[in-house]
Amino acid sequence: MADNIEIIEYLKSKGFACQELDFKGINAISVDVEIAEKLIELIHFPSSEIAGLPVFLLAKPSEIGHLAHVLNHQEDGYDFGSICVNDRDSVSVNFNMPLLAIEESLNRHIAILKKAITDPIWNRQELLREFKSCWLNVCDFDDRPVLLTNDSGALEEIDVFRPVKGRKFGVSSYYLAQSKDTDLAAAAKIYWQDSSGRSLAGKAVVLPLTEIEPAPLDKGQLTDWYLDIISKQKPEILKKLNDNYGRWKTYEYWVFFNAQVPSGKVWFCLSFKSKKGKKHSLPLTKRQLENWKVKAVPIKLFNKETILPRGGANLDLAETKVALVGAGSVGSEVAHKLSAAGVQNLTIYDPDRYNIENLYRHILPEELLNYGKSFGLSFSLKRQFLWSKANASLDKLLDLRSSKLLNSYDLIVIAIGSPTHERLFKEYLLEKGIRVPVINTWLEGFGVGGHAVLDIPESKGCLLCAYVCPDTLVRGLGSNLNFIEPNQNVTINMSGCGEQFISYGAICSAQTALIASDLAIKYLEGKVETSSKVSWKGSEHDAKKHGVTLTNRFYQFTNSLKIQPLVHEDCDVCN
């Protein structure tokens, strides 16, 4: 790493006005920049290693004004502004050329400041766009965060419940504000409120703002900022606030604001606590505020529009109806991935119980041992994905042969690993003319691979295309996608016939579930419109160790995870 003198000489050679600075015994570098007739000082504290984009701090930022992408903070009594030039960890820095890296970073810092200072319209828009980040900069993190469940953002008064005493983690460690109009109300009441021993903390108002200003620079400006924002709202809103919510007196009040900014809808919160331990009404004037301590507090908003897209889920899949047959190691993973993707109406069919032998390749916890797999999975999904409406049934695949039932689904996923039952089910669909798309997925033992096929009735290609024998070109009993040759004993026997099992681990079942889930979501989102097949190929090591013979397809297969057309020209159904 270059020393300070070398850095200063290099920057001077590039036209920068800089010098060494003694900051409380630390050797730093000061760079003077003139922007719009304002003299600005940037300070760089060199490090022994460049592991990220070099940082330049803005000295005395409050003297320059409220600038976008600059967060003010104090350090040892000095005011500094941290300048956001990018996600520093996402930038690839040439650490082998430290002088070039420092110059590049300095130019980025100056460019941001120049834009913010010389273009007030852009600066205001950016301050509003990054409102949430600026608001967090003035938040008081001593208090517990508030979890708000709200969908509409409309004006309403709601109760706020205290965290459960002694809880430091999980939802029970948050304040809870439960809106009445949210579609999460029932689930939240069951999981977060009734059984948790919460006590009432106070009242809150959800306040949609018709006008919004950039967030305040520091905590000392909160009161004036609040009064200014209240005064700019429509008269009818102010009248409702005063008439409907300004009369209830309590020790604590919260106001949950929401407003449209260039980056979308933003939510933030102010907390009001009585100064003298007396009850007061919602403060709407400067005189009323004299009775309250005002703090900005962090808020966690829990609604579909915030949580689902943030996790990569698709809101458009909320009304999609999917049937999953099989809740074993593969099926349970499929259920989890479909729910995480946004599928809410999922019905899980499986008659089996969750046994202790399943622990190491199933997603359910041991607390649900001896519980029906489908019911345990339904319960688990609804706890994690609170908008999930997952249902459970003990019916088997062949119990589902009902035209009315099957036609009610947008997609059926079968993960039972029983080719005979799957082919019988396919024959029923053909016989009754049922046009529901079906995904069949299975894995093979010893880690050699797994498969998924998507059978879309309106498209060329069907499940039986995957059963055309490559040697005879007629329909056979084994899939032509398989990597293990048929008519071999691939089970392991530990203690008699009742204890036989196929050798595969959780990674194999998860990988198989991933290709099936990916195929399902791509179909439901309209990204795959033709009958398709996809396989993943593993290692032959364990198969060879157990004397298992693999197919020619295994040795020739080079398209792992690639979605390909399913149709086979010699299929007696498709042709």
Side-chain angles (χ1 to χ4, degrees):
M1 179 65 190
D3 60 27
N4 282 16
I5 301 301
E6 188 177 359
I7 295 171
I8 290 171
E9 291 303 318
Y10 177 79
L11 291 178
K12 283 183 175 179
S13 73
K14 297 298 180 179
F16 293 102
C18 56
Q19 57 277 329
E20 195 165 23
L21 173 69
D22 183 354
F23 183 81
K24 293 195 170 183
I26 300 174
N27 291 327
I29 295 172
S30 171
V31 181
D32 294 328
V33 180
E34 186 175 330
I35 301 176
E37 300 182 348
K38 291 183 179 180
L39 187 61
I40 291 169
E41 182 184 15
L42 296 173
I43 300 175
H44 173 63
F45 294 92
S47 60
S48 59
E49 180 183 32
I50 294 183
L53 202 63
V55 174
F56 287 83
L57 298 175
L58 176 62
K60 301 178 181 178
S62 56
E63 295 182 3
I64 302 170
H66 202 169
L67 300 180
H69 304 291
V70 177
L71 291 180
N72 297 1
H73 61 91
Q74 283 196 339
E75 190 172 316
D76 295 328
Y78 287 82
D79 291 330
F80 289 108
S82 295
I83 305 167
C84 178
V85 294
N86 208 322
D87 181 349
R88 299 184 190 279
D89 293 332
S90 68
V91 177
S92 182
V93 178
N94 188 358
F95 53 80
N96 291 316
M97 302 290 288
L99 295 177
L100 292 179
I102 289 171
E103 180 190 6
E104 166 66 16
S105 179
L106 178 56
N107 282 325
R108 291 191 183 199
H109 284 71
I110 293 172
I112 286 288
L113 291 174
K114 185 177 291 185
K115 184 73 172 174
I117 292 171
T118 61
D119 191 340
I121 296 176
W122 178 88
N123 186 60
R124 176 180 167 80
Q125 285 296 101
E126 288 298 289
L127 283 171
L128 290 175
R129 188 178 67 82
E130 60 180 18
F131 184 96
K132 186 173 181 180
S133 297
C134 297
W135 186 263
L136 290 175
N137 195 48
V138 297
C139 273
D140 193 319
F141 288 91
D142 293 336
D143 284 352
R144 302 285 183 90
V146 182
L147 182 66
L148 170 66
T149 62
N150 186 282
D151 292 322
S152 68
L155 181 66
E156 68 168 317
E157 186 179 61
I158 54 180
D159 293 330
V160 179
F161 294 89
R162 290 190 179 90
V164 177
K165 190 175 181 179
R167 298 288 178 86
K168 295 182 179 180
F169 307 102
V171 170
S172 57
S173 67
Y174 291 21
Y175 280 90
L176 175 64
Q178 174 59 55
S179 238
K180 299 178 181 65
D181 65 344
T182 175
D183 64 357
L184 190 59
K189 196 170 184 179
I190 292 171
Y191 296 134
W192 298 341
Q193 185 174 322
D194 280 2
S195 60
S196 61
R198 293 181 182 272
S199 58
L200 185 65
K203 291 287 183 178
V205 170
V206 176
L207 178 57
L209 297 177
T210 53
E211 295 288 337
I212 187 170
E213 291 294 323
L217 272 170
D218 55 61
K219 296 177 181 179
Q221 298 177 354
L222 279 172
T223 299
D224 291 338
W225 183 92
Y226 169 70
L227 291 172
D228 180 54
I229 284 295
I230 290 295
S231 68
K232 290 180 177 178
Q233 303 313 302
K234 290 181 178 179
E236 57 267 29
I237 294 290
L238 295 177
K239 188 175 188 307
K240 278 188 178 181
L241 281 174
N242 188 65
D243 293 348
N244 298 342
Y245 312 124
R247 298 176 182 176
W248 176 275
K249 293 185 177 182
T250 183
Y251 299 108
E252 294 186 62
Y253 239 117
W254 289 261
V255 178
F256 299 111
F257 302 92
N258 63 85
Q260 286 295 329
V261 295
S263 53
K265 182 183 280 190
V266 64
W267 287 78
F268 52 102
C269 178
L270 280 178
S271 163
F272 300 90
K273 290 189 177 181
S274 174
K275 286 183 178 179
K276 298 180 180 180
K278 293 182 179 181
K279 290 183 177 182
H280 298 285
S281 58
L282 176 68
L284 296 174
T285 65
K286 187 174 183 179
R287 184 176 179 180
Q288 289 174 325
L289 270 174
E290 294 174 357
N291 299 314
W292 298 93
K293 297 176 184 177
V294 184
K295 291 194 295 185
V297 295
I299 177 178
K300 299 289 185 181
L301 180 66
F302 208 102
N303 64 20
K304 286 181 184 178
E305 289 70 22
T306 302
I307 299 299
L308 270 68
R310 180 66 177 81
N314 188 341
L315 290 168
D316 293 335
L317 298 180
E319 301 305 318
T320 300
K321 293 189 67 176
V322 177
L324 171 65
V325 188
S329 58
V330 175
S332 63
E333 293 276 6
V334 170
H336 184 272
K337 299 302 176 285
L338 292 181
S339 299
V343 174
Q344 296 176 27
N345 294 293
L346 180 67
T347 304
I348 306 164
Y349 296 93
D350 196 307
D352 292 343
R353 289 183 178 275
Y354 183 42
N355 295 318
I356 199 166
E357 294 87 354
N358 306 137
L359 278 176
Y360 270 68
R361 61 186 190 192
H362 205 284
I363 69 169
L364 288 180
E366 60 84 18
E367 287 86 355
L368 294 175
L369 285 174
N370 298 321
Y371 210 65
K373 286 181 180 178
S374 57
F375 287 92
L377 195 53
S378 169
F379 173 79
S380 181
L381 293 174
K382 285 188 283 191
R383 279 304 303 262
Q384 180 174 357
F385 309 105
L386 291 183
W387 287 277
S388 171
K389 303 169 186 173
N391 292 314
S393 170
L394 297 177
D395 287 342
K396 302 177 183 178
L397 175 62
L398 297 183
D399 296 332
L400 307 184
R401 288 179 287 188
S402 161
S403 296
K404 182 178 179 181
L405 173 64
L406 297 176
N407 282 322
S408 69
Y409 292 111
D410 298 296
L411 177 68
I412 297 172
V413 181
I414 302 173
I416 60 174
S418 176
T420 303
H421 287 194
E422 291 171 38
R423 287 185 292 112
L424 279 170
F425 185 74
K426 174 60 180 176
E427 294 288 351
Y428 175 78
L429 297 180
L430 290 171
E431 177 188 343
K432 299 297 183 181
I434 298 172
R435 312 295 289 173
V436 60
V438 177
I439 288 178
N440 294 76
T441 185
W442 67 99
L443 59 75
E444 300 185 76
F446 306 105
V448 299
H451 317 277
V453 297
L454 168 62
D455 182 339
I456 304 175
E458 293 78 14
S459 168
K460 278 284 188 179
C462 70
L463 172 66
L464 301 180
C465 287
Y467 280 86
V468 176
C469 177
D471 297 324
T472 64
L473 300 182
V474 297
R475 197 194 306 177
L477 300 180
S479 173
N480 54 39
L481 303 185
N482 285 345
F483 293 142
I484 294 179
E485 286 281 6
N487 303 317
Q488 299 182 82
N489 184 9
V490 294
T491 60
I492 294 177
N493 190 326
M494 293 185 68
S495 56
C497 295
E499 293 296 328
Q500 291 180 330
F501 63 94
I502 297 175
S503 176
Y504 65 87
I507 291 176
C508 295
S509 54
Q511 179 69 11
T512 304
L514 285 174
I515 63 173
S517 304
D518 180 62
L519 195 57
I521 296 303
K522 281 186 168 66
Y523 167 75
L524 293 171
E525 291 179 338
K527 297 174 182 176
V528 172
E529 298 178 338
T530 58
S531 295
S532 304
K533 61 185 178 183
V534 59
S535 301
W536 69 270
K537 174 182 168 181
S539 168
E540 64 178 321
H541 180 272
D542 289 344
K544 291 180 68 175
K545 181 180 176 181
H546 286 83
V548 174
T549 305
L550 303 181
T551 62
N552 288 331
R553 184 175 190 259
F554 176 85
Y555 294 107
Q556 297 171 3
F557 188 69
T558 59
N559 291 311
S560 268
L561 308 180
K562 183 178 180 181
I563 298 175
Q564 298 177 294
L566 175 61
V567 64
H568 195 294
E569 61 182 7
D570 293 301
C571 175
D572 58 317
V573 173
C574 293
N575 297 287

